[in-house]
Structures are given as C-alpha cells and as structure tokens.
Amino acid sequence: MIPDILSPEFAADPYTGYRVLREEAPLFWHEATQSYLISRYTDVEHAFRDPVFTTANYDWQLEPVHGRTILQLSGREHAVRRGLVAPAFRGAELRDTFLPVIERNARELIDEFRTAGTVELVGQFSTHFPINVIVDMLGLDRADHARFQRWYTSIIAFLGNLAQDPDVAEAGLRTRAELAGYMLPIIARRRAEPRDDLLSTLCLAEIDGTRMSDEDVKAFVSLLLAAGGETTDKAISALFANLLANPDQLAAVRDDRSLVPRAFAETLRYSPPVHMIMRQPAEDVQLSGGTVPAGSTVTCLIGAANRDPERYARPDRFDIFRDDLSTTNAFSAAADHLSFALGRHFCVGALLAKTEVEVGANLLLDALPGLRPAAGFAPVERGLFTRGPATVRMEFTAA
C-alpha cells in the first residue's frame, strides 16, 4: 500500500514510507497536495539540476509569506540578485565579519547551562542560536530576538502547512505584514546612514547599476530567517542526536575535531532538516515511473533520495566514515547529498550554516565534557516539510 505523506503513520516514521515510494511508486500523484512525489536519488537530482524544472511554484508557495524572493527568479535577473547577496555569505566577509558574531552568540547560550550538568539542546540552544546570529548579523536590536523567534516559527509553520490549516495560513500572512512594518523603516534608515552590518551591505550592494529595492531586501530578510534559521536549528539538534546514538562516533569527533564537517555532512544526508522541496517543469519531463506534465507541481522528497540504496551503501545507517559521501564538496553546489538542493538554486547560505554548525558543535563539545544521553532519553523526530528531533536531552560533567 502506498503511504499517505499527510498521515499520522507517515509523520511518525517517514523513512519506511520513503522506502515503499522508492521501490513501488517512484512517481506518484498525491491528490491532497496536487503534486507528483518523486523519491529516487537520480530523479530528485535531475529535478534540481535540469533548468527545465523551474521554481514557478514559489509564486504561490513562498510569495504570500515572504514577498517575491530570489528563489522565484531565473536567467539574468536571478544571476544579478544572487550576485548581490552571495558575497556576504562566503570568504573573507563570512570569516572576518560574521564569525565573531557566531562565536559570541554560541557562547552566550552555552553559558546559561555549562554549570548545570544537563541540557535540553533544542530548547536551550539550537532553536535560538541561528535566529540570534541572523538578527545580530543584520545589525538589528538584540532586544528583538524573541520577536524574530516568533516570526520565524510562524513562517516555517506557513511553509509546512501542506494540510492547509486556515489558522496557520492567517498567522503567516499576519507575520508578513508585521515583519514589513518593522523592517521597511529600518531599511530606509540604513540606505541613508549605512552601518557595518549585513543589512547595510544588502541595501548598498550593486551590480551594473542594479540594487535591490526595499521590498527585495525585506523579502530576503524573511527568507533568511526561514531558510537560515530552520536548517541550522534542526541540523545542530540532529547532529548531536545522531552522535549520542553512536557513542563510538561521538568519541571520535570529540577526540578529532576535524571530523565535525564529516559528521555534519552525514547528518544532512541521514536526517536532513528539509525533507521536501517543490519544483515545476516548464515542459513534459520523463522520470522513473513515467512522464510529468508541463506545469505540474513536483514534490522532491529529499529525505527519501538521501537514503536511496542505489546511491548509498547501508543508507539507513549513520556513518561519518562512509566513503560514498564527499565532505570536500558537501557544502557546495557539487554536493553528493541533496539537502541544500543543487544547481543554480543551491542554498546561498550553505557556508553560513556550515560555519554556525561547526562553531556551535565545537564550543558545545568544549563546554560539555563527558557528554552522554540523559537517563531514559530516546530521540523522537517531528515534522514533515522540515523535520528534526523534538528534544535532545544530554548530561555532562559540569564545569
């Protein structure tokens, strides 16, 4: 029987459902979401790389909550907009300007529990860390951390509202209006009086006489909150949940910190923060199991493709030492896993996420000697569109 991705059974254990879809229905029409589900690695990779698969679906999926973002653009317009924002998230700018912000925010959160001997990582660290970093990178008021946390939660709920709950939809639209009311006056001030922060950089960035409009900048900030917050939040939690479940690998990472990027890359493959991304082909496309008509919505099941046994040996095993996943390319558009997408819409913030996870993981390991699962702890994942551990309860030798 083909599983329903909106069922409680699927939510409890999507990986069993993914296996059935890969083997029996690699191209499956899902009536409730009005989309074709694809689950094999080769098909999802094809959908991410082939320009025939557009992001026209974001007009109805993302724009209502974010405004129009670079994810919806194509051709030169997309290249120019991406060129305006990408430099801030790589190289010297990331290392020199934002690394201290990342380290400070990680330490401040860790200081709240480093002497306690126990921590619930999701609620006390992971959920707050990336949003606090983004707010500080943008040069916004640190007193508004809690406000941005609420907006971020509302945006993610809107994007994952596959069952079309009207209350969730209304809250998302309300958040768009609130965020615009907050950001647009600040954007105007940054244009007039630039500062040494990411928001000013976005306001002043220029290519061939083209700058982003105030609405463009606001939409990118909204997108950054959702994409930058959710992936890093769930990745850090999943990384530690996976290591706690594999004590030998936790010990190896603790003793050799050069393995942290390997552990992160394998976490992205094994338990990706984002389980599905949609695309829309501009013409009929042949995939495993049949033809997808032009203009259809295609739901790319990343969580299924990343565990395809045709691509990975022992795919349901977390193994930071596997030889079929390249750490060298794991955070670039040439990645083996599919968790950041691929091609021209590869995640622009991948290196930011890598930096945050590596800094956070190393500082946590430094501060929490003797790290181990709390008594009775068994990780439970939650989520469909995005997914991660509900809690990660850990014990350690208090400083």
Side-chain angles (χ1 to χ4, degrees):
M1 181 177 177
I2 305 303
D4 178 5
I5 63 170
L6 299 184
S7 68
E9 293 79 14
F10 189 90
D13 176 22
Y15 296 105
T16 297
Y18 289 152
R19 187 179 306 117
V20 174
L21 286 165
R22 280 195 312 264
E23 294 174 358
E24 300 181 21
L27 180 64
F28 180 73
W29 174 252
H30 187 250
E31 186 68 26
T33 58
Q34 291 289 290
S35 71
Y36 287 93
L37 309 181
I38 60 174
S39 48
R40 292 181 178 174
Y41 184 96
T42 55
D43 291 330
V44 175
E45 181 186 36
H46 183 187
F48 286 161
R49 288 195 186 280
D50 192 335
V52 75
F53 285 90
T54 75
T55 55
N57 53 287
Y58 288 155
D59 292 354
W60 55 264
Q61 188 183 10
L62 298 187
E63 189 166 342
V65 72
H66 288 312
R68 190 162 180 80
T69 71
I70 60 171
L71 295 181
Q72 296 163 259
L73 306 179
S74 60
R76 173 169 169 72
E77 187 180 17
H78 173 262
V80 169
R81 289 295 187 277
R82 190 175 176 97
L84 289 169
V85 303
F89 296 95
R90 63 181 184 232
E93 184 75 10
L94 178 59
R95 181 185 65 249
D96 299 338
T97 305
F98 301 134
L99 183 59
V101 175
I102 294 167
E103 292 176 337
R104 181 183 71 238
N105 276 282
R107 287 196 173 95
E108 287 175 353
L109 289 167
I110 291 170
D111 284 346
E112 295 295 319
F113 54 77
R114 69 166 65 240
T115 61
T118 182
V119 60
E120 195 290 286
L121 191 69
V122 176
Q124 293 180 258
F125 185 85
S126 306
T127 301
H128 304 285
F129 175 46
I131 300 303
N132 292 359
V133 167
I134 289 168
V135 170
D136 287 2
M137 286 173 60
L138 290 166
L140 301 174
D141 191 342
R142 302 194 92 207
D144 290 325
H145 278 173
R147 182 185 299 190
F148 276 90
Q149 197 76 41
R150 176 169 55 82
W151 285 337
Y152 152 72
T153 303
S154 174
I155 292 169
I156 291 301
F158 182 96
L159 298 177
N161 188 24
L162 299 181
Q164 297 299 300
D165 183 320
D167 292 336
V168 173
E170 182 182 353
L173 298 178
R174 189 166 58 248
T175 291
R176 174 178 173 171
E178 291 177 2
L179 182 61
Y182 177 95
M183 287 301 309
L184 290 175
I186 297 176
I187 291 169
R189 290 198 296 272
R190 288 294 196 280
R191 290 197 191 279
E193 300 175 2
R195 299 181 183 178
D196 185 20
D197 56 40
L198 176 60
L199 187 59
S200 299
T201 299
L202 295 173
C203 289
L204 300 179
E206 183 176 322
I207 293 179
D208 297 335
T210 298
R211 285 186 176 182
M212 289 194 288
S213 69
D214 290 3
E215 180 61 29
D216 289 337
V217 175
K218 187 275 299 178
F220 184 77
V221 169
S222 180
L223 180 65
L224 182 61
L225 279 175
E230 184 75 350
T231 53
T232 306
D233 166 0
K234 287 181 164 50
I236 292 176
S237 298
L239 170 65
F240 277 88
N242 291 333
L243 290 175
L244 290 171
N246 295 272
D248 56 331
Q249 296 183 60
L250 172 59
V253 171
R254 183 191 294 114
D255 294 341
D256 180 1
R257 300 301 177 80
S258 71
L259 295 175
V260 170
R262 274 182 169 270
F264 181 30
E266 174 65 349
T267 291
L268 290 172
R269 183 203 68 82
Y270 179 78
S271 46
V274 178
H275 270 232
M276 52 189 71
I277 290 177
M278 295 180 179
R279 291 287 187 261
Q280 185 172 309
E283 58 189 58
D284 292 358
V285 179
Q286 186 71 30
L287 296 174
S288 300
T291 300
V292 178
S296 303
T297 299
V298 177
T299 299
C300 305
L301 297 176
I302 295 170
N306 274 349
R307 292 201 186 190
D308 189 337
E310 293 297 315
R311 176 61 183 81
Y312 299 105
R314 304 179 305 281
D316 294 319
R317 175 183 173 187
F318 179 81
D319 180 8
I320 66 174
F321 299 109
R322 64 173 53 252
D323 57 13
D324 49 9
L325 181 68
S326 169
T327 305
T328 303
N329 299 327
F331 311 101
S332 73
D336 300 322
H337 65 83
L338 303 171
S339 296
F340 286 135
L342 298 169
R344 66 198 185 285
H345 285 292
F346 175 79
C347 176
V348 72
L351 289 179
L352 172 62
K354 177 179 184 287
T355 304
E356 288 179 299
V357 170
E358 291 182 5
V359 168
N362 276 298
L363 290 178
L364 283 163
L365 290 169
D366 288 343
L368 313 180
L371 188 64
R372 57 198 179 274
F377 169 66
V380 175
E381 287 188 350
R382 288 183 185 162
L384 177 62
F385 175 68
T386 60
R387 188 173 179 86
T391 61
V392 180
R393 292 188 293 109
M394 309 189 297
E395 296 176 352
F396 55 94
T397 304

